[in-house]
């Protein structure tokens, strides 16, 4: 019996040696090497990569994918979306499939242009409004406000500041951005994972929708066929207008890195204007790839409104296609500014 046990142990030891390292051990020893400095490349660069196997494990059938799409080394990065991407190496060890991955970041290859503004008109604005969303629709101005127990949806006479229609949100909701498409008003709320839909004419609430992978609601805009939603990160999500389901996203990046805390959104002549929370500025974003192509610094505007203890940051962008001008205001500001944007 003792001899049998000894032979069994020897056989198992030989088997383990012949099989080599486990798949887990192999994966720990492997890595993906790229030419990306600090794991970042810019549009127009070549992406070079290889599988680093310092212990010469017997691996076979090596292939690579980028975000799930087959890719080969030395391909030029031209038409990709900016931001973080998943480079994955797949291989087999003793017939068992495995993979490892590495995150790389694609940056824009151009510095954002700097824009300035000229004030054309100043209009009165309700100083008690914690402005979150601002939108022109058929020549009329609509506004969404925030804060618990204070959140509202309004139609406003922008020239006089008079409130023409008003709906109060339930106390448990913190209102966020708004947009209007096909006679429907879409209003986000902050942390409840819920958005509301209203009829633009009656202000009757006609529906609601839940967020998907985005955890919060910040800003929202539309291009006439799709909705775009920010969640406080660098991501802007595309929502299906029929189902209001999040389908994909872009990531806002310039030539140095990502741009976060994208708040109120506005669609302006094919670009997304994103109000950056606490920055008193606006990023101009390419909706195809997320490139931040320009920035507008509105910091001086805050000094042009009534100074009071509750005065808060710039927030609220509305483009009026009839005048081809931009309207901006802020949280608890007493003025609404009509401005023209020009490159500096």
């Amino acid at each position: 019996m003792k001899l049998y046990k000894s032979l069994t142990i020897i056989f198992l030891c030989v088997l383990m040696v012949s099989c080599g390292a486990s798949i887990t051990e192999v994966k720990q020893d492997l890595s993906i090497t790229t030419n990306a400095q600090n794991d970042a490349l810019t549009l127009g660069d070549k992406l070079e990569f290889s599988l680093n196997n310092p212990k010469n494990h017997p691996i076979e059938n090596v292939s690579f994918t980028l975000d799930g799409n087959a890719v080969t080394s030395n391909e030029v990065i031209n038409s990709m979306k900016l931001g973080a991407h998943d480079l994955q190496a797949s291989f087999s060890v003793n017939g068992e499939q495995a993979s490892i991955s590495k995150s790389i970041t694609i940056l824009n290859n151009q510095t954002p242009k700097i824009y300035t503004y000229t004030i054309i008109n100043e209009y009165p604005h309700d100083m008690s409004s914690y402005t979150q969303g601002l939108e022109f629709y058929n020549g009329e101005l609509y506004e969404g406000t925030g804060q618990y127990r204070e959140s509202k949806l309004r139609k406003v006479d922008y020239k006089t500041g008079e409130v023409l229609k008003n709906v109060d949100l339930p106390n448990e909701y913190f209102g966020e951005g708004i947009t209007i498409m096909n006679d429907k008003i879409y209003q986000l709320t902050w942390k409840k994972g819920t958005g509301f839909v209203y009829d633009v004419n009656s202000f009757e609430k006609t529906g609601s929708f839940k967020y998907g992978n985005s955890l919060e609601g910040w800003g929202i805009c539309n291009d006439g066929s799709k909705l775009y939603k920010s969640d406080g990160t660098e991501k802007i999500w595309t929502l299906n207008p029929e189902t209001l389901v999040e389908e994909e996203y872009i990531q806002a990046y310039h030539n140095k890195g990502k741009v976060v805390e994208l708040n109120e959104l506005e669609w302006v002549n094919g670009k997304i204007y994103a109000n950056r929370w606490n920055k008193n500025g606006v990023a101009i974003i390419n909706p195809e790839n997320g490139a931040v192509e320009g920035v507008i610094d509105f910091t001086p505007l805050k000094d042009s409104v009534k100074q009071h203890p509750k005065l808060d940051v710039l927030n609220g962008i509305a483009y009026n296609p009839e005048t081809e001008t931009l309207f901006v205001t802020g949280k608890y500001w007493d003025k609404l500014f009509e401005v023209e944007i020009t490159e500096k």
Side-chain angles (χ1 to χ4, degrees):
M1 180 63 70
K2 289 183 179 180
L3 177 61
Y4 174 77
K5 288 184 178 180
S6 299
L7 291 173
T8 301
I9 293 172
I10 293 172
F11 174 76
L12 290 174
C13 290
V14 171
L15 181 63
M16 290 176 65
V17 171
S18 65
C19 290
S22 69
I23 193 72
T24 300
E25 292 171 327
V26 171
K27 289 175 64 174
Q28 290 176 345
D29 292 335
L30 300 179
S31 63
I32 300 174
T33 301
T34 75
N35 64 324
Q37 294 186 3
N38 298 318
D39 297 327
L41 294 168
T42 60
L43 288 178
D45 287 345
K46 285 185 177 180
L47 173 58
E48 301 172 7
F49 52 81
S50 60
L51 187 62
N52 186 30
N53 183 11
K55 294 187 178 180
N56 294 316
H57 290 294
I59 58 177
E60 298 177 319
N61 305 318
V62 179
S63 63
F64 290 86
T65 59
L66 188 60
D67 296 335
N69 299 310
V71 64
T72 57
S73 186
N74 290 313
E75 286 190 17
V76 177
I77 300 171
N78 277 326
S79 57
M80 286 190 63
K81 294 179 180 179
L82 304 185
H85 296 268
D86 182 57
L87 179 62
Q88 186 175 95
S90 299
F91 50 89
S92 60
V93 178
N94 295 323
E96 186 175 355
Q97 294 296 314
S99 64
I100 61 172
S101 62
K102 180 183 184 68
S103 180
I104 62 169
T105 300
I106 309 300
L107 304 174
N108 199 23
N109 56 2
Q110 296 182 2
T111 303
K113 295 179 180 179
I114 308 299
Y115 292 86
T116 187
Y117 62 90
T118 302
I119 298 175
I120 299 174
N121 287 301
E122 297 180 8
Y123 302 104
H125 180 253
D126 183 358
M127 201 169 70
S128 70
S129 290
Y130 191 81
T131 305
Q132 298 286 67
L134 208 61
E135 182 99 338
F136 272 97
Y137 188 71
N138 293 335
E140 297 183 291
L141 185 65
Y142 297 79
E143 182 174 8
T145 72
Q147 296 289 10
Y148 294 112
R149 299 179 180 272
E150 297 179 11
S151 296
K152 301 173 175 62
L153 174 65
R154 289 177 160 179
K155 179 179 178 180
V156 181
D157 183 333
Y158 72 89
K159 292 184 178 180
T160 66
E162 178 187 1
V163 177
L164 304 177
K165 286 186 179 180
N166 182 89
V167 172
D168 294 333
L169 271 66
N171 289 337
E172 66 268 27
Y173 291 102
F174 191 116
E176 287 284 347
I178 66 168
T179 195
I180 307 171
M181 184 173 69
N182 298 330
D183 289 344
K184 294 179 181 179
I185 304 174
Y186 301 88
Q187 183 177 32
L188 302 177
T189 66
W190 184 20
K191 291 187 174 182
K192 291 291 186 179
T194 301
F196 298 122
V197 185
Y198 307 83
D199 180 270
V200 72
N201 298 307
S202 66
F203 266 39
E204 177 187 356
K205 187 187 295 183
T206 59
S208 64
F209 58 97
K210 293 293 185 181
Y211 307 157
N213 291 315
S214 64
L215 299 180
E216 296 182 354
W218 286 46
I220 188 169
C221 70
N222 75 86
D223 63 2
S225 60
K226 296 190 297 290
L227 298 168
Y228 299 83
K229 173 188 176 295
S230 63
D231 62 3
T233 69
E234 72 279 8
K235 294 179 180 178
I236 297 178
W237 300 79
T238 303
L239 277 62
N240 182 302
E242 301 298 327
T243 63
L244 299 178
V245 171
E246 295 167 359
E247 294 183 329
E248 57 182 349
Y249 61 83
I250 56 172
Q251 302 170 78
Y253 273 73
H254 46 50
N255 58 319
K256 298 296 184 181
K258 63 184 176 183
V259 178
V260 298
E261 295 183 328
L262 303 175
N263 202 359
E264 218 262 293
L265 304 181
E266 183 75 4
W267 185 269
V268 183
N269 297 325
K271 306 294 181 182
I272 296 175
Y273 281 44
N275 198 135
R276 292 196 64 202
W277 184 59
N278 265 333
K279 299 298 183 182
N280 291 308
V282 168
I284 302 174
I285 301 169
N286 184 325
E288 298 298 324
N289 64 1
V292 177
E293 299 178 341
V295 293
I296 313 168
D297 183 9
F298 284 115
T299 301
L301 283 184
K302 191 176 179 181
D303 296 329
S304 301
V305 301
K306 183 176 181 178
Q307 305 298 296
H308 61 95
K310 293 181 70 174
L311 183 67
D312 211 324
V313 296
L314 177 100
N315 201 67
I317 321 164
Y319 178 71
N320 188 347
E322 294 182 1
T323 60
E324 297 184 346
T325 53
L326 205 64
F327 289 69
V328 293
T329 188
K331 304 175 187 294
Y332 301 135
W333 286 21
D334 69 337
K335 292 180 181 179
L336 172 71
F337 297 92
E338 181 181 5
V339 299
E340 277 187 344
I341 306 301
T342 54
E343 187 175 347
K344 201 166 183 178

